[in-house]
């Protein structure tokens, strides 16, 4: 029942008593109104594994689904966070992807954020759950909803075929850097397939070496070249891949910052990252956030959202 990662703010509740938690949740929903504080205290302080136990026990005790009951009681962004917390990680990712695909116009950010940052095992689990839940393959849905080279990059990521060894082939790294340079900066037009082949297939250590070589050959960071050579969703997905390879927590910190800065909040991004990363690497995301923006993630959330929605996010964020 441990957390799924070891750098999260949400860790296993030590004095975990599933019956007590079920009773507290039942009490929170009794009568007129809901005791949101009790919902936050129980669900935001338990690991995903512990929440699954609570869901099972709730169904046994009450004969109803906990998510359904909570959905009937809660509203808005607070409800979205709570329902997200009740799902196991691949189910939540699959749900977010489906939500991004099914509306009018695809929310590319969700596709990019999830597929560029998950490990091979995580992507395989997502595709399995997606098929089971929605009766269609994620690949088919993405192909039906996106196009061109952007679609090809997503399909490549979906194969979960990235080399995950730590081996760096020096000669190959130099060649890869040359190939990307010649496919972009060095020629008229851009051969995006070369970028795909290198960025979606090679392992992390090897690619960090490729990025060093690329800097030597071209005099620029690979990110700068991607911005110069590409645009739109294709630029976004390649940048996300590079940023996740360099420093995944920093990638999420930047996404959180951009979801809150300026007028209005992109709640879908804020919620997705806070829910999905809470027990994986939220400690590192917070550290990267403070380093990059000179303010704590906690203070940023507090200044940007309000009510129970704010309270549950702060609980997931930790001080």
């Amino acid at each position: 029942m441990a957390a799924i990662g070891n750098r999260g703010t949400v860790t296993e509740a030590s004095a975990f008593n599933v019956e007590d938690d079920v009773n507290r949740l039942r009490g929170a929903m009794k009568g007129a109104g809901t005791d949101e504080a009790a919902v936050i205290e129980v669900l935001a302080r338990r690991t995903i594994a512990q929440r699954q136990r609570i869901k099972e026990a709730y169904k046994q005790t009450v004969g109803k689904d906990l998510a359904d009951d909570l959905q009937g009681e809660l509203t808005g962004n607070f409800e979205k966070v709570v329902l997200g917390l009740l799902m196991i990680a691949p189910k939540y990712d699959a749900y977010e992807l489906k939500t991004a695909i099914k509306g009018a116009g695809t929310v590319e950010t969700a596709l990019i954020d999830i597929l560029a940052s998950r490990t091979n095992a995580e992507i395989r689990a997502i595709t399995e759950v997606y098929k089971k839940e929605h009766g269609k393959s994620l690949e088919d849905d993405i192909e039906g909803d996106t196009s061109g080279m952007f679609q090809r990059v997503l399909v490549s990521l979906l194969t979960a075929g990235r080399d995950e060894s730590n081996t760096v082939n020096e000669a190959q790294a130099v060649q890869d850097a040359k190939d990307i340079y010649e496919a972009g900066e060095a020629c008229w037009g851009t051969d995006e397939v070369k970028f795909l082949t290198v960025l979606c297939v090679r392992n992390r250590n090897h690619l960090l070496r490729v990025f060093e070589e690329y800097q030597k050959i071209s005099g620029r960071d690979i990110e700068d070249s991607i911005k110069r050579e590409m645009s739109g969703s294709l630029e976004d997905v390649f940048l996300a891949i590079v940023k996740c390879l360099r420093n995944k927590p920093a990638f999420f910190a930047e996404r959180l910052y951009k979801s809150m800065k300026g007028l209005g909040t992109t709640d879908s991004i804020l919620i997705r990252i806070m829910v999905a990363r809470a027990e994986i690497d939220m400690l590192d995301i917070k550290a990267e956030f403070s380093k990059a923006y000179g303010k704590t993630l906690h203070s940023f959330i507090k200044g940007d959202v309000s009510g129970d929605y704010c309270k549950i996010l702060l609980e997931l964020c930790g001080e």
Side-chain angles (χ1 to χ4, degrees):
M1 300 236 282
I4 49 178
N6 57 5
R7 298 290 303 150
T9 42
V10 173
T11 53
E12 204 172 9
S14 50
F16 179 55
N17 182 318
V18 73
E19 287 79 19
D20 284 357
D21 284 352
V22 167
N23 288 333
R24 285 202 67 191
L25 290 170
R26 286 181 71 190
M29 292 185 273
K30 269 210 177 100
T34 311
D35 179 358
E36 285 90 354
V39 173
I40 294 169
E41 211 170 297
V42 173
L43 296 179
R45 294 181 184 174
R46 307 288 181 271
T47 60
I48 294 170
Q50 289 176 324
R51 291 183 209 124
Q52 301 317 299
R53 285 277 308 280
I54 294 168
K55 275 166 68 178
E56 284 160 24
Y58 188 91
K59 196 172 251 184
Q60 283 167 352
T61 315
V62 185
K64 286 171 83 181
D65 192 84
L66 176 59
D68 291 346
D69 277 0
L70 285 166
Q71 207 164 1
E73 296 278 332
L74 312 174
T75 56
N77 289 321
F78 179 58
E79 178 195 338
K80 286 177 187 163
V81 176
V82 169
L83 295 178
L85 291 175
L86 290 175
M87 298 179 203
I88 58 168
K91 187 171 178 178
Y92 183 61
D93 282 344
Y95 167 80
E96 286 287 298
L97 290 167
K98 185 66 179 173
T99 307
I101 292 167
K102 75 177 178 198
T106 304
V107 185
E108 283 86 359
T109 319
L111 306 183
I112 293 167
D113 278 7
I114 294 170
L115 297 178
S117 66
R118 303 309 192 247
T119 64
N120 289 348
E122 285 167 340
I123 287 176
R124 280 192 290 270
I126 293 164
T127 51
E128 213 171 285
V129 169
Y130 193 96
K131 184 82 195 251
K132 209 163 83 181
E133 294 277 321
H134 306 294
K136 276 181 84 178
S137 83
L138 178 53
E139 188 180 321
D140 287 348
D141 274 358
I142 282 177
E143 284 181 342
D145 226 53
T146 57
S147 60
M149 189 51 71
F150 176 58
Q151 178 194 92
R152 287 167 68 173
V153 174
L154 295 179
V155 168
S156 170
L157 293 171
L158 273 180
T159 62
R162 182 182 299 284
D163 169 20
E164 285 186 335
S165 73
N166 295 316
T167 323
V168 178
N169 177 331
E170 280 297 329
Q172 184 67 58
V174 172
Q175 189 56 51
D176 283 344
K178 271 192 189 139
D179 287 348
I180 295 179
Y181 178 64
E182 281 160 14
E185 291 282 359
C187 71
W188 182 253
T190 310
D191 177 1
E192 290 111 345
V193 180
K194 278 271 165 43
F195 279 81
L196 185 156
T197 307
V198 175
L199 293 178
C200 297
V201 178
R202 309 281 191 259
N203 73 59
R204 177 172 182 263
N205 284 2
H206 179 88
L207 281 167
L208 293 177
R209 190 72 198 83
V210 172
F211 301 157
E212 281 175 19
E213 279 302 317
Y214 186 86
Q215 169 77 46
K216 281 185 204 165
I217 297 168
S218 68
R220 307 178 183 284
D221 277 344
I222 182 84
E223 291 93 329
D224 289 342
S225 289
I226 290 169
K227 285 176 194 166
R228 283 161 57 92
E229 295 293 318
M230 296 167 205
S231 61
S233 298
L234 184 64
E235 176 190 338
D236 293 341
V237 74
F238 276 136
L239 282 177
I241 291 168
V242 171
K243 286 174 181 179
C244 284
L245 288 161
R246 284 202 198 270
N247 183 338
K248 202 179 286 183
F251 167 75
F252 286 122
E254 183 189 2
R255 278 289 204 249
L256 286 168
Y257 176 74
K258 286 183 173 170
S259 78
M260 291 182 279
K261 82 170 175 69
L263 282 174
T265 307
T266 314
D267 295 295
S268 57
I269 296 175
L270 176 57
I271 293 168
R272 182 171 56 247
I273 296 173
M274 295 308 292
V275 169
R277 309 311 292 187
E279 63 183 77
I280 299 176
D281 52 3
M282 188 55 71
L283 293 172
D284 300 322
I285 293 169
K286 283 163 63 176
E288 292 294 342
F289 192 97
S290 299
K291 199 164 87 181
Y293 307 111
K295 275 185 161 183
T296 66
L297 177 58
H298 190 279
S299 70
F300 230 77
I301 293 170
K302 208 172 176 177
D304 211 67
V305 296
S306 59
D308 294 311
Y309 172 42
C310 180
K311 284 175 193 163
I312 198 164
L313 289 184
L314 292 179
E315 196 63 53
L316 295 174
C317 173
E319 282 302 331

